[in-house]
mmCIF file of all heavy atoms in Angstrom:
data_model
loop_
_atom_site.group_PDB
_atom_site.id
_atom_site.type_symbol
_atom_site.label_atom_id
_atom_site.label_comp_id
_atom_site.label_asym_id
_atom_site.label_seq_id
_atom_site.Cartn_x
_atom_site.Cartn_y
_atom_site.Cartn_z
ATOM 1 N N LEU W 1 -5.588 14.940 -11.901
ATOM 2 C CA LEU W 1 -5.848 13.499 -11.902
ATOM 3 C C LEU W 1 -7.070 13.131 -12.731
ATOM 4 O O LEU W 1 -7.022 12.261 -13.584
ATOM 5 C CB LEU W 1 -5.987 12.991 -10.469
ATOM 6 C CG LEU W 1 -6.169 11.491 -10.286
ATOM 7 C CD1 LEU W 1 -4.902 10.751 -10.680
ATOM 8 C CD2 LEU W 1 -6.542 11.183 -8.833
ATOM 9 N N VAL W 2 -8.167 13.833 -12.475
ATOM 10 C CA VAL W 2 -9.381 13.498 -13.142
ATOM 11 C C VAL W 2 -9.376 13.887 -14.629
ATOM 12 O O VAL W 2 -10.099 13.316 -15.444
ATOM 13 C CB VAL W 2 -10.615 14.157 -12.423
ATOM 14 C CG1 VAL W 2 -10.695 15.648 -12.705
ATOM 15 C CG2 VAL W 2 -11.932 13.459 -12.815
ATOM 16 N N SER W 3 -8.509 14.838 -14.982
ATOM 17 C CA SER W 3 -8.404 15.247 -16.386
ATOM 18 C C SER W 3 -7.409 14.403 -17.145
ATOM 19 O O SER W 3 -7.214 14.578 -18.347
ATOM 20 C CB SER W 3 -7.977 16.729 -16.468
ATOM 21 O OG SER W 3 -6.672 16.915 -15.917
ATOM 22 N N GLY W 4 -6.694 13.534 -16.433
ATOM 23 C CA GLY W 4 -5.752 12.613 -17.071
ATOM 24 C C GLY W 4 -4.333 13.148 -17.223
ATOM 25 O O GLY W 4 -3.503 12.519 -17.884
ATOM 26 N N ARG W 5 -4.014 14.262 -16.581
ATOM 27 C CA ARG W 5 -2.684 14.826 -16.668
ATOM 28 C C ARG W 5 -1.657 14.114 -15.789
ATOM 29 O O ARG W 5 -0.471 14.330 -15.946
ATOM 30 C CB ARG W 5 -2.694 16.332 -16.323
ATOM 31 C CG ARG W 5 -3.429 17.175 -17.363
ATOM 32 C CD ARG W 5 -3.117 18.668 -17.135
ATOM 33 N NE ARG W 5 -1.699 18.952 -17.290
ATOM 34 C CZ ARG W 5 -0.935 19.406 -16.338
ATOM 35 N NH1 ARG W 5 -1.416 19.613 -15.113
ATOM 36 N NH2 ARG W 5 0.373 19.670 -16.555
ATOM 37 N N ILE W 6 -2.131 13.321 -14.858
ATOM 38 C CA ILE W 6 -1.251 12.515 -13.981
ATOM 39 C C ILE W 6 -1.297 11.079 -14.435
ATOM 40 O O ILE W 6 -2.352 10.491 -14.598
ATOM 41 C CB ILE W 6 -1.687 12.660 -12.503
ATOM 42 C CG1 ILE W 6 -1.454 14.081 -12.005
ATOM 43 C CG2 ILE W 6 -0.908 11.644 -11.641
ATOM 44 C CD1 ILE W 6 -1.943 14.343 -10.608
ATOM 45 N N ASP W 7 -0.106 10.521 -14.634
ATOM 46 C CA ASP W 7 0.011 9.116 -15.093
ATOM 47 C C ASP W 7 0.057 8.143 -13.925
ATOM 48 O O ASP W 7 -0.584 7.096 -13.941
ATOM 49 C CB ASP W 7 1.255 8.936 -15.938
ATOM 50 C CG ASP W 7 1.215 9.757 -17.210
ATOM 51 O OD1 ASP W 7 0.212 9.707 -17.928
ATOM 52 O OD2 ASP W 7 2.204 10.472 -17.486
ATOM 53 N N ILE W 8 0.870 8.471 -12.913
ATOM 54 C CA ILE W 8 1.047 7.577 -11.759
ATOM 55 C C ILE W 8 0.823 8.401 -10.524
ATOM 56 O O ILE W 8 1.465 9.446 -10.296
ATOM 57 C CB ILE W 8 2.479 6.969 -11.721
ATOM 58 C CG1 ILE W 8 2.729 6.093 -12.956
ATOM 59 C CG2 ILE W 8 2.656 6.149 -10.443
ATOM 60 C CD1 ILE W 8 4.154 5.556 -13.056
ATOM 61 N N LEU W 9 -0.110 7.950 -9.690
ATOM 62 C CA LEU W 9 -0.392 8.622 -8.412
ATOM 63 C C LEU W 9 0.033 7.723 -7.282
ATOM 64 O O LEU W 9 -0.414 6.566 -7.177
ATOM 65 C CB LEU W 9 -1.864 8.933 -8.288
ATOM 66 C CG LEU W 9 -2.306 9.661 -6.999
ATOM 67 C CD1 LEU W 9 -1.649 11.025 -6.917
ATOM 68 C CD2 LEU W 9 -3.833 9.794 -6.906
ATOM 69 N N VAL W 10 0.901 8.242 -6.426
ATOM 70 C CA VAL W 10 1.363 7.520 -5.235
ATOM 71 C C VAL W 10 0.690 8.165 -4.015
ATOM 72 O O VAL W 10 0.625 9.388 -3.941
ATOM 73 C CB VAL W 10 2.899 7.616 -5.073
ATOM 74 C CG1 VAL W 10 3.370 6.798 -3.901
ATOM 75 C CG2 VAL W 10 3.584 7.130 -6.350
ATOM 76 N N GLY W 11 0.231 7.356 -3.085
ATOM 77 C CA GLY W 11 -0.408 7.959 -1.914
ATOM 78 C C GLY W 11 -0.768 6.967 -0.848
ATOM 79 O O GLY W 11 -0.483 5.759 -0.925
ATOM 80 N N THR W 12 -1.363 7.519 0.220
ATOM 81 C CA THR W 12 -1.814 6.724 1.343
ATOM 82 C C THR W 12 -3.315 6.501 1.210
ATOM 83 O O THR W 12 -3.860 6.484 0.094
ATOM 84 C CB THR W 12 -1.468 7.460 2.662
ATOM 85 O OG1 THR W 12 -2.096 8.738 2.617
ATOM 86 C CG2 THR W 12 0.016 7.631 2.829
ATOM 87 N N HIS W 13 -4.008 6.391 2.328
ATOM 88 C CA HIS W 13 -5.445 6.180 2.326
ATOM 89 C C HIS W 13 -6.208 7.325 1.655
ATOM 90 O O HIS W 13 -7.398 7.182 1.337
ATOM 91 C CB HIS W 13 -5.970 5.977 3.746
ATOM 92 C CG HIS W 13 -5.453 4.725 4.375
ATOM 93 N ND1 HIS W 13 -4.170 4.621 4.831
ATOM 94 C CD2 HIS W 13 -6.055 3.544 4.632
ATOM 95 C CE1 HIS W 13 -3.994 3.407 5.329
ATOM 96 N NE2 HIS W 13 -5.126 2.747 5.211
ATOM 97 N N ALA W 14 -5.549 8.462 1.448
ATOM 98 C CA ALA W 14 -6.184 9.596 0.770
ATOM 99 C C ALA W 14 -6.651 9.171 -0.637
ATOM 100 O O ALA W 14 -7.588 9.754 -1.194
ATOM 101 C CB ALA W 14 -5.233 10.777 0.686
ATOM 102 N N LEU W 15 -5.964 8.169 -1.238
ATOM 103 C CA LEU W 15 -6.380 7.687 -2.547
ATOM 104 C C LEU W 15 -7.746 7.073 -2.533
ATOM 105 O O LEU W 15 -8.413 6.953 -3.557
ATOM 106 C CB LEU W 15 -5.365 6.648 -3.096
ATOM 107 C CG LEU W 15 -4.177 7.162 -3.901
ATOM 108 C CD1 LEU W 15 -3.275 8.049 -3.029
ATOM 109 C CD2 LEU W 15 -3.394 6.032 -4.507
ATOM 110 N N LEU W 16 -8.196 6.644 -1.368
ATOM 111 C CA LEU W 16 -9.473 5.952 -1.229
ATOM 112 C C LEU W 16 -10.648 6.900 -1.069
ATOM 113 O O LEU W 16 -11.782 6.487 -1.123
ATOM 114 C CB LEU W 16 -9.459 5.004 -0.037
ATOM 115 C CG LEU W 16 -8.325 3.970 -0.018
ATOM 116 C CD1 LEU W 16 -8.319 3.197 1.304
ATOM 117 C CD2 LEU W 16 -8.436 3.007 -1.200
ATOM 118 N N SER W 17 -10.350 8.190 -0.875
ATOM 119 C CA SER W 17 -11.413 9.174 -0.637
ATOM 120 C C SER W 17 -12.344 9.262 -1.845
ATOM 121 O O SER W 17 -11.944 9.073 -3.011
ATOM 122 C CB SER W 17 -10.786 10.550 -0.382
ATOM 123 O OG SER W 17 -11.773 11.569 -0.413
ATOM 124 N N ASP W 18 -13.634 9.552 -1.578
ATOM 125 C CA ASP W 18 -14.587 9.726 -2.657
ATOM 126 C C ASP W 18 -14.249 10.874 -3.567
ATOM 127 O O ASP W 18 -14.679 10.893 -4.748
ATOM 128 C CB ASP W 18 -16.006 9.961 -2.052
ATOM 129 C CG ASP W 18 -16.533 8.712 -1.361
ATOM 130 O OD1 ASP W 18 -16.051 7.614 -1.661
ATOM 131 O OD2 ASP W 18 -17.441 8.867 -0.491
ATOM 132 N N THR W 19 -13.461 11.826 -3.085
ATOM 133 C CA THR W 19 -13.106 12.986 -3.907
ATOM 134 C C THR W 19 -11.926 12.701 -4.810
ATOM 135 O O THR W 19 -11.588 13.517 -5.672
ATOM 136 C CB THR W 19 -12.749 14.197 -3.022
ATOM 137 O OG1 THR W 19 -11.643 13.867 -2.175
ATOM 138 C CG2 THR W 19 -13.948 14.592 -2.152
ATOM 139 N N THR W 20 -11.270 11.545 -4.625
ATOM 140 C CA THR W 20 -10.141 11.194 -5.483
ATOM 141 C C THR W 20 -10.668 10.391 -6.645
ATOM 142 O O THR W 20 -10.998 9.204 -6.549
ATOM 143 C CB THR W 20 -9.096 10.376 -4.710
ATOM 144 O OG1 THR W 20 -8.689 11.090 -3.539
ATOM 145 C CG2 THR W 20 -7.879 10.084 -5.550
ATOM 146 N N MET W 21 -10.750 11.051 -7.837
ATOM 147 C CA MET W 21 -11.349 10.414 -9.033
ATOM 148 C C MET W 21 -10.307 10.392 -10.148
ATOM 149 O O MET W 21 -9.627 11.394 -10.375
ATOM 150 C CB MET W 21 -12.607 11.154 -9.450
ATOM 151 C CG MET W 21 -13.760 11.026 -8.453
ATOM 152 S SD MET W 21 -15.257 11.889 -8.985
ATOM 153 C CE MET W 21 -14.753 13.601 -8.795
ATOM 154 N N PHE W 22 -10.246 9.286 -10.824
ATOM 155 C CA PHE W 22 -9.268 9.107 -11.894
ATOM 156 C C PHE W 22 -9.932 9.297 -13.249
ATOM 157 O O PHE W 22 -11.150 9.156 -13.411
ATOM 158 C CB PHE W 22 -8.679 7.687 -11.829
ATOM 159 C CG PHE W 22 -7.812 7.434 -10.636
ATOM 160 C CD1 PHE W 22 -8.337 7.144 -9.397
ATOM 161 C CD2 PHE W 22 -6.396 7.482 -10.754
ATOM 162 C CE1 PHE W 22 -7.522 6.913 -8.297
ATOM 163 C CE2 PHE W 22 -5.592 7.246 -9.677
ATOM 164 C CZ PHE W 22 -6.150 6.962 -8.436
ATOM 165 N N HIS W 23 -9.104 9.596 -14.233
ATOM 166 C CA HIS W 23 -9.579 9.691 -15.611
ATOM 167 C C HIS W 23 -9.757 8.305 -16.222
ATOM 168 O O HIS W 23 -10.802 8.029 -16.810
ATOM 169 C CB HIS W 23 -8.571 10.527 -16.450
ATOM 170 C CG HIS W 23 -8.915 10.608 -17.876
ATOM 171 N ND1 HIS W 23 -10.016 11.306 -18.357
ATOM 172 C CD2 HIS W 23 -8.311 10.042 -19.018
ATOM 173 C CE1 HIS W 23 -10.078 11.217 -19.679
ATOM 174 N NE2 HIS W 23 -9.064 10.454 -20.089
ATOM 175 N N ARG W 24 -8.779 7.448 -16.066
ATOM 176 C CA ARG W 24 -8.831 6.075 -16.577
ATOM 177 C C ARG W 24 -7.854 5.209 -15.798
ATOM 178 O O ARG W 24 -6.740 4.989 -16.221
ATOM 179 C CB ARG W 24 -8.482 6.072 -18.073
ATOM 180 C CG ARG W 24 -8.720 4.708 -18.792
ATOM 181 C CD ARG W 24 -8.576 4.863 -20.307
ATOM 182 N NE ARG W 24 -8.884 3.641 -20.987
ATOM 183 C CZ ARG W 24 -7.954 2.861 -21.555
ATOM 184 N NH1 ARG W 24 -6.678 3.195 -21.493
ATOM 185 N NH2 ARG W 24 -8.285 1.760 -22.194
ATOM 186 N N LEU W 25 -8.313 4.733 -14.662
ATOM 187 C CA LEU W 25 -7.449 3.939 -13.801
ATOM 188 C C LEU W 25 -7.346 2.509 -14.330
ATOM 189 O O LEU W 25 -8.357 1.822 -14.439
ATOM 190 C CB LEU W 25 -7.992 3.928 -12.353
ATOM 191 C CG LEU W 25 -7.172 3.138 -11.348
ATOM 192 C CD1 LEU W 25 -5.758 3.678 -11.200
ATOM 193 C CD2 LEU W 25 -7.870 3.138 -9.962
ATOM 194 N N GLY W 26 -6.157 2.080 -14.648
ATOM 195 C CA GLY W 26 -6.003 0.749 -15.226
ATOM 196 C C GLY W 26 -5.274 -0.246 -14.320
ATOM 197 O O GLY W 26 -5.465 -1.449 -14.458
ATOM 198 N N LEU W 27 -4.432 0.267 -13.392
ATOM 199 C CA LEU W 27 -3.626 -0.620 -12.548
ATOM 200 C C LEU W 27 -3.527 -0.067 -11.158
ATOM 201 O O LEU W 27 -3.232 1.129 -10.982
ATOM 202 C CB LEU W 27 -2.212 -0.804 -13.116
ATOM 203 C CG LEU W 27 -1.188 -1.565 -12.279
ATOM 204 C CD1 LEU W 27 -1.625 -3.010 -12.042
ATOM 205 C CD2 LEU W 27 0.202 -1.498 -12.925
ATOM 206 N N VAL W 28 -3.763 -0.903 -10.177
ATOM 207 C CA VAL W 28 -3.585 -0.571 -8.773
ATOM 208 C C VAL W 28 -2.472 -1.421 -8.202
ATOM 209 O O VAL W 28 -2.524 -2.656 -8.317
ATOM 210 C CB VAL W 28 -4.876 -0.781 -7.958
ATOM 211 C CG1 VAL W 28 -4.647 -0.513 -6.481
ATOM 212 C CG2 VAL W 28 -6.001 0.086 -8.476
ATOM 213 N N VAL W 29 -1.475 -0.757 -7.632
ATOM 214 C CA VAL W 29 -0.392 -1.485 -6.941
ATOM 215 C C VAL W 29 -0.544 -1.190 -5.450
ATOM 216 O O VAL W 29 -0.559 -0.017 -5.062
ATOM 217 C CB VAL W 29 0.995 -1.025 -7.409
ATOM 218 C CG1 VAL W 29 2.084 -1.759 -6.652
ATOM 219 C CG2 VAL W 29 1.145 -1.262 -8.916
ATOM 220 N N VAL W 30 -0.695 -2.236 -4.635
ATOM 221 C CA VAL W 30 -0.879 -2.054 -3.206
ATOM 222 C C VAL W 30 0.378 -2.592 -2.518
ATOM 223 O O VAL W 30 0.670 -3.786 -2.604
ATOM 224 C CB VAL W 30 -2.127 -2.780 -2.692
ATOM 225 C CG1 VAL W 30 -2.310 -2.549 -1.192
ATOM 226 C CG2 VAL W 30 -3.353 -2.339 -3.425
ATOM 227 N N ASP W 31 1.118 -1.690 -1.840
ATOM 228 C CA ASP W 31 2.300 -2.102 -1.144
ATOM 229 C C ASP W 31 1.981 -2.507 0.287
ATOM 230 O O ASP W 31 1.102 -1.930 0.918
ATOM 231 C CB ASP W 31 3.343 -0.997 -1.130
ATOM 232 C CG ASP W 31 4.703 -1.469 -0.662
ATOM 233 O OD1 ASP W 31 5.017 -2.652 -0.892
ATOM 234 O OD2 ASP W 31 5.460 -0.690 -0.038
ATOM 235 N N GLU W 32 2.715 -3.506 0.807
ATOM 236 C CA GLU W 32 2.438 -4.053 2.139
ATOM 237 C C GLU W 32 0.959 -4.400 2.211
ATOM 238 O O GLU W 32 0.222 -3.907 3.074
ATOM 239 C CB GLU W 32 2.850 -3.057 3.212
ATOM 240 C CG GLU W 32 4.360 -2.924 3.354
ATOM 241 C CD GLU W 32 5.028 -4.321 3.565
ATOM 242 O OE1 GLU W 32 4.786 -4.936 4.581
ATOM 243 O OE2 GLU W 32 5.814 -4.699 2.705
ATOM 244 N N GLN W 33 0.508 -5.276 1.318
ATOM 245 C CA GLN W 33 -0.920 -5.517 1.145
ATOM 246 C C GLN W 33 -1.607 -5.992 2.430
ATOM 247 O O GLN W 33 -2.774 -5.758 2.613
ATOM 248 C CB GLN W 33 -1.136 -6.544 0.025
ATOM 249 C CG GLN W 33 -1.223 -7.983 0.401
ATOM 250 C CD GLN W 33 -2.600 -8.420 0.784
ATOM 251 O OE1 GLN W 33 -3.555 -7.853 0.263
ATOM 252 N NE2 GLN W 33 -2.706 -9.377 1.668
ATOM 253 N N HIS W 34 -0.866 -6.671 3.310
ATOM 254 C CA HIS W 34 -1.499 -7.184 4.501
ATOM 255 C C HIS W 34 -1.927 -6.086 5.471
ATOM 256 O O HIS W 34 -2.564 -6.353 6.447
ATOM 257 C CB HIS W 34 -0.542 -8.163 5.212
ATOM 258 C CG HIS W 34 0.788 -7.579 5.540
ATOM 259 N ND1 HIS W 34 1.769 -7.456 4.577
ATOM 260 C CD2 HIS W 34 1.302 -7.099 6.676
ATOM 261 C CE1 HIS W 34 2.853 -6.936 5.147
ATOM 262 N NE2 HIS W 34 2.579 -6.714 6.407
ATOM 263 N N ARG W 35 -1.549 -4.837 5.163
ATOM 264 C CA ARG W 35 -1.953 -3.748 6.052
ATOM 265 C C ARG W 35 -3.264 -3.106 5.606
ATOM 266 O O ARG W 35 -3.693 -2.111 6.127
ATOM 267 C CB ARG W 35 -0.849 -2.684 6.101
ATOM 268 C CG ARG W 35 0.447 -3.160 6.751
ATOM 269 C CD ARG W 35 1.502 -2.112 6.659
ATOM 270 N NE ARG W 35 2.773 -2.676 7.120
ATOM 271 C CZ ARG W 35 3.413 -2.248 8.228
ATOM 272 N NH1 ARG W 35 2.870 -1.304 8.967
ATOM 273 N NH2 ARG W 35 4.578 -2.760 8.575
ATOM 274 N N PHE W 36 -3.893 -3.659 4.575
ATOM 275 C CA PHE W 36 -5.151 -3.114 4.082
ATOM 276 C C PHE W 36 -6.231 -4.136 4.120
ATOM 277 O O PHE W 36 -6.023 -5.291 3.776
ATOM 278 C CB PHE W 36 -4.962 -2.594 2.658
ATOM 279 C CG PHE W 36 -4.009 -1.440 2.544
ATOM 280 C CD1 PHE W 36 -2.684 -1.655 2.246
ATOM 281 C CD2 PHE W 36 -4.431 -0.144 2.801
ATOM 282 C CE1 PHE W 36 -1.778 -0.613 2.167
ATOM 283 C CE2 PHE W 36 -3.557 0.894 2.724
ATOM 284 C CZ PHE W 36 -2.222 0.685 2.417
ATOM 285 N N GLY W 37 -7.433 -3.727 4.520
ATOM 286 C CA GLY W 37 -8.581 -4.615 4.538
ATOM 287 C C GLY W 37 -9.171 -4.776 3.169
ATOM 288 O O GLY W 37 -8.857 -4.053 2.213
ATOM 289 N N VAL W 38 -10.096 -5.741 3.078
ATOM 290 C CA VAL W 38 -10.757 -6.018 1.800
ATOM 291 C C VAL W 38 -11.464 -4.802 1.276
ATOM 292 O O VAL W 38 -11.377 -4.476 0.081
ATOM 293 C CB VAL W 38 -11.721 -7.188 1.979
ATOM 294 C CG1 VAL W 38 -12.557 -7.418 0.711
ATOM 295 C CG2 VAL W 38 -10.962 -8.460 2.340
#
């Protein structure tokens, strides 16, 4: 992910972890948005 070899990452709250770092994150899609806080 951090080296840019992954284009689309699908996941749960694990995506929010400090250890989850992207190479160049351009778009975030949040499904069922009302289930997530600000």
Side-chain angles (χ1 to χ4, degrees):
L1 183 67
V2 74
S3 64
R5 290 194 62 243
I6 293 174
D7 297 310
I8 297 175
L9 181 63
V10 182
T12 57
H13 294 74
L15 269 66
L16 304 174
S17 169
D18 291 339
T19 61
T20 305
M21 293 181 289
F22 292 80
H23 175 68
R24 188 170 183 255
L25 180 61
L27 171 63
V28 175
V29 179
V30 182
D31 191 30
E32 289 306 296
Q33 93 87 29
H34 55 282
R35 296 175 186 245
F36 296 94
V38 172

